[in-house]
Amino acid sequence: MICICHRLFLCSIKMEIKELYSHFIASKGAVIDSRSIQSSQIFFGIKGETFDGNKFAETAIESGAKLAVVDDPSLKDKKGMYYVNNVLDALQNLAKYHRSQLKCQIIAITGSNGKTTTKELLKAVLETQFSVQATEGNLNNHLGVPLTILKTKPETEILIVEMGANHIGEISNLCEIADPDYGIITNIGKAHLEGFGSLEGVIKAKSELFHFMCKKNGTIFYNLEEKNIDPKIFSNCIHKSFSHKDFEIVAEFPYLHCTYNNQLVITQMYGRYNLANVALSFTVGNHFGINVYNVLKGIESYKPQNNRSQFVKIGTNSIILDAYNANPSSMTTAIMDFSLVNHPKKITILGDMLELGKYSEAEHKAILTMVNEKSFYQSIFIGSIFYQFRDQFSFDFYENIEAALKAISINDFENSLILLKGSRKISLEKFTL
C-alpha cells in the first residue's frame, strides 16, 4: 500500500511539473523577486528563514506576472495563483525538467575559491566558437542553479553552471537538478568550516561533484596540483588532467603573463594562483576543439570584476581589490603571492574571514602570525575577530569598516601597493569608493 501511494504521489508530481512547464514555455521566464517582475513572467513565492514569498504573490500578479506559484492554501483559489505542495520543490523540479529538454552540454564548477573567476574565464574562451551561457553573478545555490537553467535558451550549445555550498549534500542535490556532462573542482580549502565541520567535510562535499560525474560516466577536469582530492575517486572515470607547472611565469604584476609551449599568454588577471585557471582554459578549450589562437583571445579578453582580484589605481597608489570573499586558504594564497611582488611599499588591509565556526580564532591568529613574519611596510586588520588580537600584535586594528574609514583612507598613502582582502560582509571595497 505504501509503495502504491508513493508511486501515485510521484506520478502526480510529474503531471504537475509538466502542466507547470507548459505555462513556463509560454512565459517570459521565472523569477523569485516580486520587485523585478516583468510582464508575462512566472513568480515563485519562495519561503526563507526571514521571509515568505507567498505574501508577495498578489503583488506579483498585479505587476504583470503570468502566474504566481504558491504553497499557501489561503491563496489556492485566487486569480493567477498556481498552487503546489512546496514552491522550492516545484522550482527545482521545473528546472530539472527543462534541463531534460535542453540539447546543450553543461559544465559544472565548484570549489572553495575561484569558482566565479573560473566560470567567467571559461565562458570567455568557449564563446569564441560556441553559443555559451553561464551563471549570472554568483547565483550558485539551491535557488540560483535552477534559475540559471530556466534562463537557458534552446540555441545554447554550452552552459556553465557554478555550484556553491556550505553543507554536505548540497552539491549532490544541485547535480541532480543540473545533470552536468562535465565537472570541475577549482580547489578545496578551509572555507565554510562552520557548515562543513572540518576540512574533511569540505573535501567530502566538493567531491560530490566528481562522484556524480563518475556515476553518470561524464568527464572530469582534474587539477594535478590539488592535494585534497583523492585521485581514486575518479581513477575509473573519464578525466583530463591539467597542471600550472606546464606554464612559466614571465611577469606577474600588475597582470599575470606566462608562456606555454613557447607561446606567450597575456592575461588581465593578478596573482600567480590564476595560473591554474589558465591551464584549465587550455585543457577545456582543447577538449572542445577550440584552436589555440581563440583560447589565447578568450584568456586575454577576460578582466576580473566585482571586487575579485581587480587591479585599481587611486592617485599614486596601486590596489589589489580582492574583497568579495575570504577564507584561510584564499587569504594565505593572497598574502603569499603579495609577498613575492617586488615593490618597496607594500601595505595589507585585511578583513575578518567569516563562517569558520570553532576554527575562527585559531585561523585568524594564524593569518596574523604569517603577516608578522613578512616585511610589509604596514598591515591593517579590520573586523571584530581580528580585533580580539590587538594586544598580541603590533599592527593597526579596527573593529569594523566604519571605524577604519574614520581613521584612514587610501589617499593617506602614497606610491603604495595595497592588498585589500576580506569576507564580503566586511566591505573592504568601501576604501576604493
Side-chain angles (χ1 to χ4, degrees), residues 16-52:
E16 175 185 277
I17 294 304
K18 285 187 177 181
E19 181 182 356
L20 183 56
Y21 191 69
S22 67
H23 290 293
F24 170 74
I25 58 176
S27 75
K28 292 185 178 179
V31 293
I32 60 173
D33 188 343
S34 62
R35 296 167 297 183
S36 62
I37 286 287
Q38 296 180 17
S39 178
S40 297
Q41 289 184 319
I42 297 179
F43 170 72
F44 285 78
I46 297 291
K47 290 180 182 177
E49 292 182 4
T50 59
F51 63 90
D52 182 355

Side-chain angles (χ1 to χ4, degrees), residues 37 55 98 195 219 384 408:
I37 286 287
K55 294 180 179 179
H98 184 55
T219 300
S384 59
I408 54 177

Side-chain angles (χ1 to χ4, degrees), residues 348-352 378-388 390 395-409 412-413 426 428 431:
T348 59
I349 302 179
L350 307 178
D352 282 353
Q378 185 176 356
S379 291
I380 299 166
F381 292 87
I382 300 171
S384 59
I385 308 174
F386 275 132
Y387 193 73
Q388 298 176 70
R390 62 191 180 281
F395 300 129
D396 296 317
F397 290 87
Y398 298 92
E399 198 163 8
N400 51 54
I401 187 64
E402 289 74 24
L405 290 172
K406 286 181 181 179
I408 54 177
S409 77
D412 292 335
F413 309 109
I426 307 303
L428 293 186
F431 274 108

Side-chain angles (χ1 to χ4, degrees), residues 339-378:
S339 69
L340 296 173
V341 177
N342 184 20
H343 194 283
K345 196 175 179 182
K346 291 186 286 187
I347 297 170
T348 59
I349 302 179
L350 307 178
D352 282 353
M353 305 172 291
L354 306 181
E355 297 185 46
L356 296 180
K358 65 183 180 181
Y359 300 95
S360 184
E361 288 191 14
E363 293 294 348
H364 281 79
K365 188 171 184 178
I367 293 298
L368 286 161
T369 301
M370 175 187 295
V371 173
N372 198 44
E373 295 170 352
K374 304 298 179 183
S375 56
F376 297 136
Y377 181 82
Q378 185 176 356

Side-chain angles (χ1 to χ4, degrees), residues 130-304:
F130 295 96
S131 172
V132 182
Q133 282 187 239
T135 300
E136 295 179 1
N138 67 327
L139 295 175
N140 60 19
N141 63 6
H142 64 297
L143 298 174
V145 169
L147 288 173
T148 294
I149 293 170
L150 290 172
K151 286 183 179 180
T152 305
K153 300 174 182 177
E155 63 269 22
T156 299
E157 295 174 287
I158 299 174
L159 172 63
I160 307 174
V161 178
E162 181 180 332
M163 295 181 175
N166 55 21
H167 288 85
I168 290 173
E170 287 183 274
I171 297 299
S172 288
N173 182 52
L174 297 179
C175 285
E176 291 296 333
I177 296 169
D179 190 23
D181 304 288
Y182 302 89
I184 298 166
I185 299 177
T186 57
N187 49 62
I188 294 180
K190 298 176 181 179
H192 301 295
L193 294 178
E194 187 173 25
F196 291 126
S198 64
L199 177 59
E200 289 69 30
V202 181
I203 295 170
K204 181 179 179 181
K206 299 303 181 182
S207 297
E208 289 169 9
L209 174 57
F210 280 1
H211 284 298
F212 181 88
M213 299 313 306
C214 289
K215 182 175 67 175
K216 181 182 176 175
N217 201 32
T219 300
I220 291 165
F221 293 103
Y222 170 62
N223 185 350
L224 288 172
E225 313 313 320
E226 178 49 64
K227 304 305 180 185
N228 285 323
I229 300 179
D230 185 353
K232 291 179 182 178
I233 292 176
F234 55 84
S235 59
N236 295 321
C237 307
I238 303 170
H239 62 277
K240 296 178 180 293
S241 62
F242 61 95
S243 171
H244 67 260
K245 291 184 177 180
D246 296 330
F247 295 75
E248 182 178 351
I249 295 174
V250 294
E252 55 183 311
F253 181 79
Y255 300 122
L256 177 69
H257 294 179
C258 55
T259 57
Y260 176 66
N261 288 342
N262 297 317
Q263 178 71 57
L264 179 63
V265 184
I266 298 172
T267 84
Q268 296 187 72
M269 299 182 292
Y270 162 81
R272 58 177 57 203
Y273 49 81
N274 274 308
L275 267 182
N277 284 326
V278 173
L280 173 64
S281 296
F282 272 90
T283 301
V284 173
N286 180 65
H287 176 81
F288 283 94
I290 297 177
N291 65 63
V292 67
Y293 301 105
N294 279 337
V295 172
L296 289 170
K297 178 183 175 182
I299 292 173
E300 293 175 9
S301 71
Y302 171 66
K303 187 172 184 178

